[in-house]
């Protein structure tokens, strides 16, 4: 059993961002929450993007999840994962 670590995922919209990706992205986040992998999520008030916090066992797992995010697969946002030492 690996201890869970937190990963901060930052998604910044590209100029070609399409609102059509929002609903699939929210469904994706709901699935992560149901799987117990999503701790919190939210958009930035300036509409430039958003962030979410994953709790999984490794950076590789976090990156694999992010690679499936519709924001990533559509190419509409730049999505970056950081291992986050919270306290």
């Amino acid at each position: 059993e690996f201890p869970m670590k937190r990963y901060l995922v930052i998604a910044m919209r590209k100029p070609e961002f399409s609102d059509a990706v929002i609903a699939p992205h929210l469904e994706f986040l709901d699935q992560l929450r149901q799987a117990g992998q999503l701790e919190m999520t939210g958009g930035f008030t300036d509409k430039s993007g958003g962030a979410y916090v994953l709790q999984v066992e490794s950076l590789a797992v976090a990156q694999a999840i992010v690679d499936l995010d519709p924001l990533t697969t559509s190419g509409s946002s730049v999505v970056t994962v950081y291992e986050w030492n919270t306290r």
Side-chain angles (χ1 to χ4, degrees):
E1 182 72 24
F2 292 100
M4 293 297 179
K5 296 180 183 174
R6 284 191 178 98
Y7 297 90
L8 177 63
V9 181
I10 306 277
M12 299 304 294
R13 293 180 174 188
K14 292 182 181 177
E16 61 270 24
F17 181 86
S18 167
D19 285 346
V21 77
I22 295 173
H25 169 66
L26 294 177
E27 288 175 25
F28 176 76
L29 292 177
D30 286 342
Q31 291 169 0
L32 294 178
R33 184 172 273 123
Q34 289 166 7
Q37 296 175 310
L38 180 67
E39 186 175 357
M40 66 178 74
T41 181
F44 302 143
T45 56
D46 66 0
K47 307 286 191 209
S48 63
Y52 54 96
V53 178
L54 296 172
Q55 274 197 289
V56 294
E57 55 271 21
S58 70
L59 181 58
V61 171
Q63 186 64 60
I65 290 169
V66 168
D67 288 346
L68 298 174
D69 187 329
L71 293 179
T72 304
T73 60
S74 68
S76 65
S77 297
V78 176
V79 187
T80 314
V81 185
Y82 301 92
E83 187 170 326
W84 197 21
N85 295 320
T86 57
R87 34 179 214 161

